[in-house]
């Protein structure tokens, strides 16, 4: 981030609301039976998923929204980010928020949070396919096309090296 630009709150608002405020409200308002795991496993698995998801989301926000002039994702970044989490999946913010929400569903024992995670993933997928990917292809051309062929969109490939 250049020294003449201060911290912008806008890019932080979406993950804060989507993965913080909404699941907390759902967890408090609609707690339910344990989500698919015995209670002894729910805490460590939920915490691990939440921490991994938070790390991925924070990395994505930093690399794309805080280090580049893309205030709310309303225009493509100046530089195509392909390292770090972006070298593992093309959509680490959405994948990270989904993992974070799945972890929160376990921690809150709230199926409503798991349903919210499904909504977030569905909206993220549609936005990536209809808006983000075409915009990045127009902006970065062959560079993005090669990146898209070599890095999976949502789930890391279970193969060694990039093809």
């Amino acid at each position: 981030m250049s020294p003449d630009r201060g911290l912008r709150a806008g890019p932080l608002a979406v993950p804060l609301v989507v993965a913080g405020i909404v699941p907390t409200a759902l967890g408090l308002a609609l707690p339910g039976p344990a989500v698919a795991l015995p209670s002894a496993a729910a805490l460590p698995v939920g915490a691990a998923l939440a921490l991994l998801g938070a790390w991925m989301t924070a990395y994505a926000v930093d690399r794309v929204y805080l280090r580049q002039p893309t205030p709310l994702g309303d225009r493509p970044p100046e530089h195509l980010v392909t390292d770090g989490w972006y070298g593992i999946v093309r959509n680490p913010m959405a994948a990270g928020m989904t993992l974070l929400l799945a972890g929160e569903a376990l921690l809150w024992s709230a199926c409503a949070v798991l349903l919210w995670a499904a909504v977030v993933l569905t909206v993220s997928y549609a936005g990536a396919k209809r808006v983000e990917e075409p915009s990045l292809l127009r902006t970065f051309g062959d560079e993005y096309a090669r990146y898209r062929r070599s890095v999976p969109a949502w789930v890391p490939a279970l193969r060694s090296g990039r093809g």
Side-chain angles (χ1 to χ4, degrees), residues 46-61:
L49 288 173
L51 289 172
L52 177 62
W55 178 23
M56 291 174 72
T57 303
Y59 180 87
V61 168

Side-chain angles (χ1 to χ4, degrees), residues 49-161:
L49 288 173
L51 289 172
L52 177 62
W55 178 23
M56 291 174 72
T57 303
Y59 180 87
V61 168
D62 176 57
R63 291 304 309 266
V64 173
Y65 297 104
L66 298 180
R67 294 186 190 206
Q68 298 189 57
T70 54
L72 293 173
D74 56 345
R75 55 185 182 264
E78 288 180 345
H79 310 286
L80 183 62
V81 180
T82 61
D83 62 346
W85 282 110
Y86 282 95
I88 298 169
V89 291
R90 292 194 314 266
N91 300 291
M93 182 185 297
M97 281 197 292
T98 304
L99 288 173
L100 174 56
L101 290 167
E104 289 173 327
L106 290 169
L107 294 172
W108 283 107
S109 292
C111 291
V113 177
L114 198 55
L115 291 173
W116 175 242
V119 169
V120 169
L121 183 59
T122 301
V123 169
S124 297
Y125 178 83
K129 287 295 182 189
R130 293 179 178 260
V131 178
E132 186 177 305
E133 288 183 2
S135 174
L136 290 169
L137 192 54
R138 280 191 305 276
T139 303
F140 298 108
D142 289 340
E143 181 185 9
Y144 181 71
R146 282 190 304 276
Y147 171 66
R148 189 168 64 178
R149 283 191 303 271
S150 65
V151 177
W154 303 95
V155 178
L158 298 175
R159 57 184 164 79
S160 61

Side-chain angles (χ1 to χ4, degrees), residues 15-40:
L16 178 64
V17 170
V18 170
I21 295 171
V22 171
T24 299
L26 289 172
L28 289 171
L30 301 170
V35 181
L37 286 177
S39 59

